[in-house]
Amino acid sequence: MTEIYYDPYDFEIDADPHPVWRRMRDEAPLYRNGKYEFWALSRYEDVAAGLTDWRTYSSARGTLLELIRNDVQFPPGMMIFEDPPLHDAHRAMLARLFTPRRIAQIEPRVRAYCGSSLDSLVGGGSIDFIADLGSSMPMRVIGMLLGIPEEDQEELRDAIDAGLSLEEGESACPRFLQKEEAPVDQTARFSKYIEWRRKNPSDDLMTELLNARFVDHQGDERTLRDDELLGYIGLLAGAGNETTTRLIGWTAYLLDRFPDQRRLLAEDRSLIPNAIEEILRYEAPSPVQARYVTRDVELHGTRVPEGSTLLLLNGSANRDEREFEDADRLDVTRRNIHHLSFGYGTHFCLGASLARLEGRVALEEVLARWTEWEIDHDAAEMARTSTVRGWKTLPAQVRT
């Protein structure tokens, strides 16, 4: 039996990490990687507990391995890189703008964006689920919410993608941390949007962020400063694009891999919301969460010292046989799908309702036009990052 080796930067492992994760769950539930000096938890019970214990496993130094290793400093407003009480103050204000009811109100516009992306493809017999839908529709939705002009949305999405990407053979560090290859700074562009909305208020999220009052962690009631606004906008533009793109890609890929499940959905569209939850469980768009360990802690009989970096492998936890029966089987009728793809506890994803809406609408609109498709696996290409996992291109032949 070979020694277990897990490396989030290894492209061969990343192509299908589940066999390695399974061995980790069974043989090394607390895993140590000496090369990159991190620990990792892979079982559902351990990952869920780690996600809720923010005092021990801090997000304030980043939630990506390379952010913690490079001691990156973050602008205010990047609440996923904050702990309470600062996190709670920023989150409470944004939570008012992302309630399920408010997200439901934008469904007609999301459906219109999706339909406009797909209608031109009808009759052509082919689609790239990423280029034609997965990378365009989420950015249009976030652009609509933030008031980002349509002519800027594609360039902004490409800049976000480029900043996160890893290249084969380069050091384990995304481009946004490599000064010689850093993407164009978006601060000036976002500042322009802020000033435009100050002078031209609308009914979008940007206007609400400008006007919203909240009580900060020091007890002062105020509106957001510009540096906090820039943090919010950067966070929303990035998070709202990347993970939803991966969800749409995995939906298409898995329903090709499991055509019996696709046929169930074609016959009974009421199963689609549940199918999105099962797809999120089966392939988490963001399967690796890094944390900074703030105190010595004992896990599985081993001391993990203060100052360590710990990876919480929610993508592995979602396939833990201790939690999910027949965990490696995609079952769109599965019930009580308590997956960890949106996190758990304090840092549960605020955009979960929006991601679910976009994933559901995308699948409904695809099935309304084509009930069968076949992925061109030779031409499909995975995106390579250390944090989100999914497809860069996903061409397919489609049939009604």
Side-chain angles (χ1 to χ4, degrees), residues 65-136:
L65 173 59
E66 53 269 21
L67 295 181
I68 299 174
R69 293 176 64 226
N70 287 277
D71 196 22
V72 175
Q73 302 300 307
F74 311 108
M78 299 288 283
M79 66 179 185
I80 61 171
F81 303 147
E82 296 172 345
D83 288 324
L86 182 61
H87 166 274
D88 292 351
H90 283 147
R91 182 185 176 96
M93 194 207 63
L94 197 58
R96 302 199 305 265
L97 310 180
F98 271 87
T99 64
R101 180 181 177 184
R102 297 194 68 173
I103 293 303
Q105 291 172 348
I106 70 170
E107 179 170 340
R109 297 180 73 175
V110 173
R111 197 172 293 278
Y113 290 147
C114 191
S116 66
S117 297
L118 297 175
D119 283 344
S120 62
L121 303 172
V122 173
S126 65
I127 184 175
D128 186 320
F129 282 103
I130 302 301
D132 295 326
L133 181 61
S135 64
S136 58

Side-chain angles (χ1 to χ4, degrees), residues 44-45 47-48 51 247 272-287 289 313-320 323-324 327 330-331 334-345 348-349 351-353 355-356:
Y44 185 98
E45 183 178 12
V47 173
L51 289 170
L247 170 59
I272 288 177
N274 197 74
I276 295 300
E277 299 305 310
E278 174 69 344
I279 289 163
L280 284 163
R281 179 195 72 83
Y282 201 87
E283 290 289 7
S286 178
Q289 315 303 319
L313 303 179
N314 55 307
S316 169
N318 286 344
R319 298 270 200 107
D320 189 351
E323 181 70 19
F324 300 101
L330 186 79
D331 179 5
R334 189 187 298 269
R335 295 303 179 206
N336 301 315
I337 309 172
H338 302 298
H339 63 73
L340 300 178
S341 292
F342 290 128
Y344 197 51
F348 182 81
C349 177
S353 294
R356 284 172 165 136

